[in-house]
mmCIF file with all atom_site columns, all heavy atoms in Angstrom:
data_model
loop_
_atom_site.group_PDB
_atom_site.id
_atom_site.type_symbol
_atom_site.label_atom_id
_atom_site.label_alt_id
_atom_site.label_comp_id
_atom_site.label_asym_id
_atom_site.label_entity_id
_atom_site.label_seq_id
_atom_site.pdbx_PDB_ins_code
_atom_site.Cartn_x
_atom_site.Cartn_y
_atom_site.Cartn_z
_atom_site.occupancy
_atom_site.B_iso_or_equiv
_atom_site.pdbx_formal_charge
_atom_site.auth_seq_id
_atom_site.auth_comp_id
_atom_site.auth_asym_id
_atom_site.auth_atom_id
_atom_site.pdbx_PDB_model_num
ATOM 1  N N   . ALA A 1 207 ? 32.015 -83.028 -26.589 1.00 55.00 ? 220 ALA A N   1
ATOM 2  C CA  . ALA A 1 207 ? 33.303 -82.471 -27.002 1.00 55.00 ? 220 ALA A CA  1
ATOM 3  C C   . ALA A 1 207 ? 34.009 -81.808 -25.832 1.00 55.00 ? 220 ALA A C   1
ATOM 4  O O   . ALA A 1 207 ? 35.219 -81.989 -25.629 1.00 55.00 ? 220 ALA A O   1
ATOM 5  C CB  . ALA A 1 207 ? 33.094 -81.469 -28.136 1.00 55.00 ? 220 ALA A CB  1
ATOM 6  N N   . MET A 1 208 ? 33.271 -81.038 -25.044 1.00 56.00 ? 221 MET A N   1
ATOM 7  C CA  . MET A 1 208 ? 33.871 -80.385 -23.891 1.00 56.00 ? 221 MET A CA  1
ATOM 8  C C   . MET A 1 208 ? 34.337 -81.414 -22.869 1.00 56.00 ? 221 MET A C   1
ATOM 9  O O   . MET A 1 208 ? 35.374 -81.255 -22.226 1.00 56.00 ? 221 MET A O   1
ATOM 10 C CB  . MET A 1 208 ? 32.871 -79.414 -23.260 1.00 56.00 ? 221 MET A CB  1
ATOM 11 C CG  . MET A 1 208 ? 32.501 -78.243 -24.149 1.00 56.00 ? 221 MET A CG  1
ATOM 12 S SD  . MET A 1 208 ? 33.951 -77.262 -24.619 1.00 56.00 ? 221 MET A SD  1
ATOM 13 C CE  . MET A 1 208 ? 34.466 -76.648 -23.018 1.00 56.00 ? 221 MET A CE  1
ATOM 14 N N   . GLY A 1 209 ? 33.551 -82.485 -22.709 1.00 57.00 ? 222 GLY A N   1
ATOM 15 C CA  . GLY A 1 209 ? 33.963 -83.526 -21.780 1.00 57.00 ? 222 GLY A CA  1
ATOM 16 C C   . GLY A 1 209 ? 35.246 -84.201 -22.219 1.00 57.00 ? 222 GLY A C   1
ATOM 17 O O   . GLY A 1 209 ? 36.122 -84.503 -21.401 1.00 57.00 ? 222 GLY A O   1
ATOM 18 N N   . GLY A 1 210 ? 35.375 -84.427 -23.542 1.00 55.00 ? 223 GLY A N   1
ATOM 19 C CA  . GLY A 1 210 ? 36.597 -85.030 -24.055 1.00 55.00 ? 223 GLY A CA  1
ATOM 20 C C   . GLY A 1 210 ? 37.805 -84.137 -23.850 1.00 55.00 ? 223 GLY A C   1
ATOM 21 O O   . GLY A 1 210 ? 38.883 -84.609 -23.462 1.00 55.00 ? 223 GLY A O   1
ATOM 22 N N   . VAL A 1 211 ? 37.629 -82.842 -24.083 1.00 52.00 ? 224 VAL A N   1
ATOM 23 C CA  . VAL A 1 211 ? 38.738 -81.898 -23.863 1.00 52.00 ? 224 VAL A CA  1
ATOM 24 C C   . VAL A 1 211 ? 39.119 -81.859 -22.401 1.00 52.00 ? 224 VAL A C   1
ATOM 25 O O   . VAL A 1 211 ? 40.307 -81.854 -22.035 1.00 52.00 ? 224 VAL A O   1
ATOM 26 C CB  . VAL A 1 211 ? 38.341 -80.488 -24.363 1.00 52.00 ? 224 VAL A CB  1
ATOM 27 C CG1 . VAL A 1 211 ? 39.396 -79.463 -23.960 1.00 52.00 ? 224 VAL A CG1 1
ATOM 28 C CG2 . VAL A 1 211 ? 38.150 -80.495 -25.877 1.00 52.00 ? 224 VAL A CG2 1
ATOM 29 N N   . ASN A 1 212 ? 38.109 -81.853 -21.519 1.00 55.00 ? 225 ASN A N   1
ATOM 30 C CA  . ASN A 1 212 ? 38.371 -81.811 -20.090 1.00 55.00 ? 225 ASN A CA  1
ATOM 31 C C   . ASN A 1 212 ? 39.130 -83.053 -19.637 1.00 55.00 ? 225 ASN A C   1
ATOM 32 O O   . ASN A 1 212 ? 40.065 -82.979 -18.830 1.00 55.00 ? 225 ASN A O   1
ATOM 33 C CB  . ASN A 1 212 ? 37.049 -81.690 -19.336 1.00 55.00 ? 225 ASN A CB  1
ATOM 34 C CG  . ASN A 1 212 ? 37.257 -81.464 -17.852 1.00 55.00 ? 225 ASN A CG  1
ATOM 35 O OD1 . ASN A 1 212 ? 38.128 -80.680 -17.454 1.00 55.00 ? 225 ASN A OD1 1
ATOM 36 N ND2 . ASN A 1 212 ? 36.462 -82.132 -17.026 1.00 55.00 ? 225 ASN A ND2 1
ATOM 37 N N   . THR A 1 213 ? 38.758 -84.225 -20.186 1.00 60.00 ? 226 THR A N   1
ATOM 38 C CA  . THR A 1 213 ? 39.447 -85.473 -19.830 1.00 60.00 ? 226 THR A CA  1
ATOM 39 C C   . THR A 1 213 ? 40.897 -85.440 -20.278 1.00 60.00 ? 226 THR A C   1
ATOM 40 O O   . THR A 1 213 ? 41.807 -85.866 -19.549 1.00 60.00 ? 226 THR A O   1
ATOM 41 C CB  . THR A 1 213 ? 38.730 -86.660 -20.475 1.00 60.00 ? 226 THR A CB  1
ATOM 42 O OG1 . THR A 1 213 ? 37.369 -86.703 -20.001 1.00 60.00 ? 226 THR A OG1 1
ATOM 43 C CG2 . THR A 1 213 ? 39.427 -87.966 -20.136 1.00 60.00 ? 226 THR A CG2 1
ATOM 44 N N   . MET A 1 214 ? 41.130 -84.932 -21.456 1.00 56.00 ? 227 MET A N   1
ATOM 45 C CA  . MET A 1 214 ? 42.496 -84.849 -21.982 1.00 56.00 ? 227 MET A CA  1
ATOM 46 C C   . MET A 1 214 ? 43.363 -83.939 -21.119 1.00 56.00 ? 227 MET A C   1
ATOM 47 O O   . MET A 1 214 ? 44.519 -84.222 -20.827 1.00 56.00 ? 227 MET A O   1
ATOM 48 C CB  . MET A 1 214 ? 42.473 -84.351 -23.423 1.00 56.00 ? 227 MET A CB  1
ATOM 49 C CG  . MET A 1 214 ? 41.875 -85.340 -24.417 1.00 56.00 ? 227 MET A CG  1
ATOM 50 S SD  . MET A 1 214 ? 41.758 -84.641 -26.075 1.00 56.00 ? 227 MET A SD  1
ATOM 51 C CE  . MET A 1 214 ? 43.498 -84.317 -26.397 1.00 56.00 ? 227 MET A CE  1
#
Side-chain angles (χ1 to χ4, degrees):
M221 295 301 296
V224 172
N225 187 42
T226 300
M227 291 175 61

